[in-house]
């Protein structure tokens, strides 16, 4: 069983420095071995101890440190008291764990002056996420991106997911065939009951109904949704509906198809940091364009969107 | 329980002529009553007898004719020998029935000089279709469109689906509360086992996992996918990568984001009626843009896509 990193990732210089997020579970352990096999030399292994499962979690941290050492990589073990974070900020386990991870990655990134963080998400995670976002009413089949960027405390982190095209089973097979060991994934602090049910009940049911493996199909749908969003962004820029003062030009906006009007309005509001943006708000704002529509729309956060002399802008 | 046609549809003139496809099942019967309640006067009820279920299907046709007459509407009962069509053209039941319906709608449309055909698809059909397309590997969450157009024998038919935002249950409740009768839906000739399983197994499971009704969420995802496709079409037109001779201009194409390059290439091939279009072919064709890429790509159907002097065009 052979498994390798994808071509786009292998184009990187072998001395390029990366942080690798390693929980000790099968996926991240496989990622680390693949990096080593491909001769990447500058890897810093980052493991966050969540302080959720006592000795078992201590074991995970020890395992990750030993694995990093055996491959000749540096490591960072971070600590987060998730129960305290949940209690203090009234957060769900999922949210608290995510925040703690991001803040840990941010620290590692600053300390090592390295914005590139490798994550071990794979194709089945992607399929699960597509379903998860669908049933939460996301705007479109959004999935996990191969490369995403995020600002954490003024620092731009770049997350790269080289295994996003690989099936969970391929990862397990690779590890088993190579005789590599990992820690069974109790370390996964996200996945709440709902996601587990999507994985263990819905995806197998879909496979059975379609009589084929549907995870790659869902992953491909996420990929094309991502492409459509890229095109949308290009279209918003190209549409060029702002006047030199940065106000929306009503005539220019009205010349566009409705879907693009909505995209431009969404982009405008987003750039103005309007909170709680959603489709209903965008549709209300677009009513300003109609001659017999309103002149003012109240925005969440206290501001107003106003039409005046053929321009739409935000006022306090 | 009140149910009404959506605002966009009610904007139509009450004397506008529509054909209404009525199987006799709950959905199309409800649509017909709603049209009548809203005072639409020029409705021609179209029912296709599939000759699949003997006397029961005869009963459907009689029921539909009687219903149309009771509402003061004209009707057309068409006949299609589906088993023969399947046998003769080696078609699946689904494909044969769809072709027969389209050809019947085409005939009715020509005979009545009316391109507008009302269909009774609802929100749950939409949700099912989104899942169905997802597990068949469709490009993106594509669903049923509120309005779609199709050419049948040189005639453009316009399909309108006024109930697409309504839940199946709302339709049943409306009929029952109003004491209206319908024929139980054995008349539905499409839905093969797989779609039924999506409806009866997958959707309820998703509802249970999400702890809310997911059909409207899936329908909304289809709606935003449709909007993204409209934006994509705008972007392709706006990108304007054709030279005056209708060839692809390499430099113009390369200046676009990759996702839009692919969309422009797909559009170019589609307009040239290249068969079996798909993402792999489009990606192969895009290799022509690279300085060290190939000069010619073979197209399905025997043609070739060629790069020459900074232009890409199709030759026989």
């Amino acid at each position: 069983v052979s498994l390798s990193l994808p071509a786009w990732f292998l184009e990187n210089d072998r001395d390029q420095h990366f942080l690798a997020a390693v929980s000790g579970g099968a996926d991240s352990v496989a990622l680390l071995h693949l990096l080593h096999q491909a001769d990447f030399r500058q890897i810093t292994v980052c493991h966050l101890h969540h302080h959720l499962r006592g000795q078992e979690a201590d074991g995970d941290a020890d395992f990750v440190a030993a694995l990093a050492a055996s491959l000749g990589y540096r490591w960072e073990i971070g600590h987060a008291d998730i129960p305290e974070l949940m209690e203090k900020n009234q957060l769900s386990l999922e949210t608290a764990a995510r925040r703690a991870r991001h803040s840990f990655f941010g620290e590692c990134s600053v300390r090592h002056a390295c914005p590139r963080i490798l994550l071990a998400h794979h194709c089945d995670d992607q399929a699960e996420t597509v379903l998860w976002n669908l049933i939460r009413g996301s705007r479109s089949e959004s999935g996990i991106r191969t490369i995403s960027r995020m600002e954490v405390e003024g620092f731009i982190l770049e997350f790269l997911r080289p295994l996003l095209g690989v099936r969970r089973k391929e990862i397990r097979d690779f590890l088993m065939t190579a005789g590599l060991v990992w820690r069974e994934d109790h370390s996964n602090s996200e996945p709440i009951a709902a996601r587990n049910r999507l994985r263990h009940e819905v995806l197998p049911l879909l496979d059975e109904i379609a009589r084929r493996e549907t995870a790659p199909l869902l992953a491909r749908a996420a990929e094309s949704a991502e492409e459509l969003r890229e095109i949308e962004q290009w279209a918003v820029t190209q549409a060029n509906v702002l006047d030199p003062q940065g106000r929306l030009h009503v005539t220019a906006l009205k010349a566009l198809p409705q879907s693009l009007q909505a995209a431009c309005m969404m982009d405008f509001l987003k750039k103005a940091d309007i909170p709680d943006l959603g489709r209903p708000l965008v549709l209300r704002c677009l009513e300003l364009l109609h001659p017999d529509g309103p002149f003012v729309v109240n925005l969440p956060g206290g501001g107003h969107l106003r039409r005046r002399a053929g321009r739409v802008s935000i006022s306090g």
Side-chain angles (χ1 to χ4, degrees), chain A:
Chain A
V1 180
S2 83
L3 186 63
S4 58
L5 294 167
W8 65 265
F9 185 76
L10 290 172
E11 282 173 10
N12 284 300
D13 192 305
R14 297 304 187 266
D15 284 319
Q16 173 79 278
H17 185 193
F18 292 97
L19 308 180
V22 178
S23 68
D27 309 333
S28 55
V29 166
L31 175 59
L32 203 56
H33 283 291
L34 289 169
L35 289 165
H36 187 254
Q37 287 182 11
D39 259 342
F40 282 91
R41 285 177 282 266
Q42 304 297 325
I43 302 290
T44 301
V45 173
C46 301
H47 175 88
L48 183 63
H49 191 312
H50 284 70
H51 289 271
L52 280 172
R53 291 159 304 103
Q55 299 216 327
E56 202 182 308
D58 294 344
D60 289 345
D62 294 344
F63 170 80
V64 170
L67 173 61
S70 76
L71 299 174
Y73 292 151
R74 283 161 295 183
W75 67 91
E76 291 272 2
I77 308 290
H79 293 269
D81 190 334
I82 304 291
E84 194 194 292
L85 260 174
M86 290 169 68
E87 171 72 25
K88 209 170 103 187
N89 304 307
Q90 293 296 305
L91 299 175
S92 68
L93 172 60
E94 188 189 16
T95 307
R98 194 177 52 235
R99 285 211 195 155
R101 275 197 307 277
H102 287 159
S103 131
F104 171 59
F105 293 148
E107 285 164 29
C108 292
S109 194
V110 170
R111 183 150 56 235
H112 293 275
C114 173
R116 290 167 300 279
I117 299 161
L118 303 175
L119 301 174
H121 293 106
H122 50 64
C123 178
D124 297 69
D125 291 328
Q126 177 70 298
E128 220 176 279
T129 304
V130 168
L131 288 176
W132 176 240
N133 286 334
L134 260 182
I135 66 173
R136 291 194 307 171
S138 286
R139 185 159 162 257
S140 170
E141 263 145 359
S142 43
I144 309 169
R145 299 187 172 206
T146 308
I147 299 177
S148 61
R149 287 176 185 82
M150 169 181 284
E151 196 185 312
V152 176
E153 289 155 29
F155 204 73
I156 305 288
L157 307 183
E158 185 177 67
F159 295 103
L160 298 106
R161 298 174 181 85
L163 299 184
L164 205 56
V166 178
R167 301 296 309 268
R168 171 183 288 120
K169 194 178 166 310
E170 293 179 89
I171 292 175
R172 299 279 163 144
D173 288 351
F174 160 75
L175 289 170
M176 304 232 270
T177 311
L180 300 168
V181 292
W182 67 92
R183 300 273 296 180
E184 263 317 331
D185 229 340
H186 314 289
S187 59
N188 198 339
S189 54
E190 303 178 85
I192 28 181
R195 288 195 69 131
N196 273 330
R197 295 193 64 187
L198 291 176
R199 178 186 308 176
H200 296 298
E201 298 175 41
V202 178
L203 283 171
L205 181 58
L206 290 176
D207 287 358
E208 190 192 313
I209 293 173
R211 293 198 211 146
R212 59 199 286 196
E213 306 213 358
T214 52
L217 302 175
L218 296 176
R220 199 181 309 155
E223 213 180 301
S224 59
E226 191 174 329
E227 289 178 358
L228 285 174
R229 275 190 299 270
E230 187 180 277
I231 292 175
E232 179 188 48
Q233 201 45 56
W234 182 90
V236 166
T237 307
Q238 190 73 11
N240 189 22
V241 289
L242 297 183
D243 73 2
Q245 286 75 43
R247 300 171 301 182
L248 288 165
H249 193 292
V250 172
T251 314
L253 204 47
K254 285 178 76 170
L256 303 174
Q258 283 197 351
S259 49
L260 187 52
Q261 291 179 19
C264 288
M265 182 59 82
M266 176 65 100
D267 185 69
F268 180 76
L269 297 172
K270 199 182 274 171
K271 285 184 176 150
D273 284 326
I274 303 302
D276 303 323
L277 276 180
R279 192 177 165 71
L281 176 65
V282 167
L283 293 181
R284 268 204 318 283
C285 289
L286 284 175
E287 285 173 19
L288 288 179
L289 305 184
H290 295 292
D292 51 354
F295 282 94
V296 188
V297 171
N298 297 331
L299 298 172
H304 306 278
L305 192 68
R306 245 175 246 281
R307 171 162 63 95
R308 192 181 292 150
R311 301 290 187 277
V312 168
S313 58
I314 295 173
S315 55

